[in-house]
Amino acid sequence: MDAGEQHDAEDEFVRFWQERRVCFLSTPRADGTPHLVPVGVTYDHATRTARVITGRGTTKARNVRRAAGAVVAVGQVDGRRWSTLEGVASVREDAGSVRDAEARYAARYRQPRVNPERVVIEIAVRRFLGTVRPPAGRPEA
């Protein structure tokens, strides 16, 4: 792949994660089975950080807190095109992180409703899977 093709693939990947679509988040339950739920996800490729806004008491937030250091995944599909981001998640509760995540969510989806119990699940992305991924990523499934 030449430099131009790599740049095009990178641009396609970033655009894919900016387009409005429902995504899925998988977190590990206490018994190790996956908890898979629909969510809105934002992704910052410069920092390789995915973010999901949610309520403090949700199952997904509790799973991430309990399984500190566990790998989670977020994914999305558009016909035959799909992309999954895997990484280690943490829950951020500080006002600055929540405001930042809300602004990112508003840019991709819509302004989120007011929720004083909001937290952010931040995912430090380590692996890219799918038909839409950055050029350095390798297909894994």
Side-chain angles (χ1 to χ4, degrees):
M1 181 180 292
D2 70 22
E5 290 171 326
Q6 286 182 349
H7 183 70
D8 290 346
E10 192 90 16
D11 288 348
E12 179 189 7
F13 172 77
V14 170
R15 275 192 313 275
F16 192 69
W17 280 97
Q18 291 172 339
E19 296 164 357
R20 186 173 199 250
R21 65 176 46 87
V22 174
C23 301
F24 287 91
L25 169 68
S26 179
T27 59
R29 291 187 182 105
D31 66 3
T33 60
H35 176 254
L36 182 69
V37 293
V39 293
V41 176
T42 61
Y43 177 65
D44 180 345
H45 192 52
T47 63
R48 292 189 172 191
T49 304
R51 293 174 178 84
V52 175
I53 58 175
T54 190
R56 179 174 283 113
T58 62
T59 299
K60 57 188 157 284
R62 289 193 318 264
N63 286 347
V64 169
R65 278 193 204 93
R66 186 196 64 260
V71 173
V72 304
V74 291
Q76 61 182 3
V77 65
D78 179 31
R80 298 177 69 108
R81 300 179 335 140
W82 64 278
S83 184
T84 297
L85 310 175
E86 291 182 357
V88 175
S90 59
V91 176
R92 305 276 185 239
E93 300 191 35
D94 63 282
S97 293
V98 171
R99 276 193 307 274
D100 178 59
E102 288 172 335
R104 292 170 187 273
Y105 182 94
R108 184 173 188 193
Y109 297 100
R110 64 177 175 8
Q111 186 63 42
R113 66 178 172 76
V114 173
N115 179 357
E117 295 296 309
R118 181 162 289 132
V119 297
V120 182
I121 296 173
E122 278 191 5
I123 304 163
V125 176
R126 294 182 177 174
R127 181 180 291 166
F128 305 94
L129 296 89
T131 60
V132 181
R133 62 185 181 281
R138 295 177 55 187
E140 299 178 38

